[in-house]
Amino acid sequence: MLENKLLILSTQAESYKAYLEGQDLDKVKYVVCTSLSEAEEHLIDTTIMLADPAFAKEVLNRMPKLVWLQSTWAGVNSLIEDGLRQDYVLTGVKGIFGALMSEYVFGYVLRLERNVSFHQSEQSQHRWTQKQPGRLKDKTIGIMGTGSIGEHIASTAKHFDMR
């Protein structure tokens, strides 16, 4: 039976390896690399690659047997640029960053609206200046895109009674 060789090329390669070890991958031999120099000797016979796009872009044209590239990021634009081979299946990570990004966005929005930096500065100087914080209720938020990230941000905004 044909064995596939999976090259994991990522700064987080060990985390991916730990996950894969718990899966049923008896027909897949995998190699874990955290740098381009480590990966060099494996490029020629790799059929599947799980990689950070910046790494993948550097080695893509030197992988004649590659049939599938799974990006570790949602965005794959750098992997479809002119001059890069495109005769393989390219998949990105979709639909998993919405909740996480919504938390980041609202962490910053609340920090700004509630004047957190101002109050921290005042408190560190033992001053208790009264400054009325803003509210998110009835404010309008602009969201570019309706993918999973935009949908999660819209859902979170709704909880704050935003438009």
Side-chain angles (χ1 to χ4, degrees), residues 3 5 19 27 42 47 51 57 68 71 78 90 103 106 112 116 139 145 148 151 154 157:
E3 183 179 83
K5 182 174 181 180
Y19 174 77
K27 293 181 178 70
H42 304 287
T47 55
K57 182 180 177 179
W68 176 26
S71 172
S78 64
L90 172 61
E103 290 177 14
F106 277 90
L112 291 170
V116 172
K139 293 247 166 89
S148 68
E151 286 178 6

Side-chain angles (χ1 to χ4, degrees), residues 54-94:
F55 285 158
K57 182 180 177 179
E58 293 297 317
V59 299
L60 194 53
N61 287 343
R62 293 182 282 142
M63 302 181 74
K65 293 185 178 180
L66 184 70
V67 294
W68 176 26
L69 167 55
Q70 172 64 53
S71 172
T72 59
W73 300 352
V76 295
N77 290 351
S78 64
L79 298 171
I80 57 173
E81 293 176 359
D82 289 341
L84 292 177
R85 61 178 286 209
Q86 296 180 8
D87 60 339
Y88 62 93
V89 175
L90 172 61
T91 51
V93 181
K94 302 289 184 207

Side-chain angles (χ1 to χ4, degrees), residues 95-107 147-153 155-156:
I96 65 167
F97 297 116
L100 179 66
M101 293 307 295
S102 183
E103 290 177 14
Y104 278 122
V105 166
F106 277 90
S148 68
I149 294 172
E151 286 178 6
H152 273 84
I153 291 171
S155 176
T156 304

